[in-house]
Amino acid sequence: MDTEPKTGGRVTRRRVRTRANLLDAAFAVFAAKGFGRASIEEVCEAAGYTRGAFYSNFSSLDELFFALYRQRADLIAEQVAGALAQDGPDLDVAQSVDRVTEVLLLDVDWLLVKTDFLVHAARDPAVAEALLEHRAGLRRTIAGRLARARGHTQLPAVLGDADSAAHAVVAAYDGVTTQLLLDKDVDGARAWLRQLLTALLTDGSGRAR
C-alpha cells in the first residue's frame, strides 16, 4: 500500500507526502496532455503509485484537478498579499506593482492547466461556483489592501471603489497571461503587466493620484 491510513484523526506525514507527489505528477501530466486527455493511470505512473494510493487521497480525477487548481490559486493569492503587505498605510502604488509583478506566478505550464480548468468549469456549474469563489477571494485580498490605503493614496476616479480596482487588476492579469500562453515571453509578460497595472492604478507615471 502506498499510503498510510489516518490515525486518530491525524493525517500521517506519509499520506501528506503521497498527496503532494500525486499533485505534482498530475500537474506535469495535465500540462503535457491536457486535463481531458489524461487518465488516473497516467497520473499514478508519473507519481510512482498505484491506483489504491490515488483513491486513498482523491475520489476522482476531477477532485484532484480542483485540488491542484486550489493549491496554485492559493499560492498566487499569498504572493499578492505578501507583496501588498510590505507598504504601510501610505501605499506606494508603483513599488507595490513592481513587487507584485516580480513574484506573480507566470508559468506557462500552470497557465495551460488553468485554461483547461476554466473550460471544464464553464461546462460544470458546481465547479464554476467554486472557481468563482476562489477568484473572488483573490479580488478581496487586493481590494482589502487598496481600501486600507484610502485616505493616503487616491486611486483614479474612473475605477470607482477598491472592489472595482481589484476587478481591473485581475482582468489585467488574465489578459496578460492569455498573451503569454501564445508567445511564451515571460519577461515581456512581466514588463507589460507592470506597465498596465501602473497605468490602471496611477496616472501612468508611477505616482499615485
Side-chain angles (χ1 to χ4, degrees), residues 12-201:
T12 65
R13 283 178 293 184
R14 186 180 178 189
R15 186 183 182 89
V16 170
R17 185 171 63 250
T18 299
R19 181 181 175 88
N21 289 341
L22 283 167
L23 287 170
D24 288 344
F27 178 78
V29 171
F30 292 154
K33 299 196 66 173
F35 172 69
R37 290 180 290 277
S39 67
I40 291 176
E41 288 76 11
E42 287 170 320
V43 171
C44 291
E45 182 179 355
Y49 293 121
T50 64
R51 287 176 65 93
F54 179 93
Y55 285 115
S56 292
N57 289 273
F58 303 101
S59 63
S60 66
L61 208 56
D62 278 14
E63 183 184 338
L64 182 150
F65 195 34
F66 188 71
L68 179 62
Y69 179 86
R70 185 169 57 245
Q71 178 191 68
R72 297 296 173 119
D74 288 348
L75 172 61
I76 290 175
E78 289 172 8
Q79 290 173 331
V80 171
L84 292 177
Q86 293 184 41
D87 282 323
D90 189 11
L91 180 68
D92 186 321
V93 174
Q95 288 186 14
S96 291
V97 165
D98 283 344
R99 286 195 298 269
V100 168
T101 54
E102 283 303 316
V103 302
L104 265 177
L105 187 66
L106 290 176
D107 177 75
V108 173
D109 284 346
W110 157 240
L111 295 175
L112 287 169
V113 174
K114 174 187 169 184
T115 301
D116 276 346
F117 194 80
L118 287 170
V119 173
H120 179 55
R123 293 187 171 94
D124 187 323
V127 177
E129 183 178 356
L131 176 57
L132 285 170
E133 177 53 36
H134 274 281
R135 287 173 63 84
L138 177 59
R139 290 196 304 270
R140 285 194 295 269
T141 297
I142 298 170
R145 183 62 189 91
L146 294 175
R148 288 195 300 275
R150 293 189 70 178
H152 303 272
T153 302
Q154 183 180 351
L155 296 173
V158 68
L159 290 178
D161 58 14
D163 287 338
S164 296
H167 271 274
V169 169
V170 173
Y173 174 75
D174 287 343
V176 169
T177 52
T178 297
Q179 179 67 25
L180 175 58
L181 265 177
L182 301 176
D183 63 23
K184 310 296 192 295
D185 183 1
V186 175
D187 290 338
R190 288 196 192 282
W192 178 233
L193 184 60
R194 181 180 294 109
Q195 293 172 13
L196 190 55
L197 292 181
T198 299
L200 275 171
L201 299 176

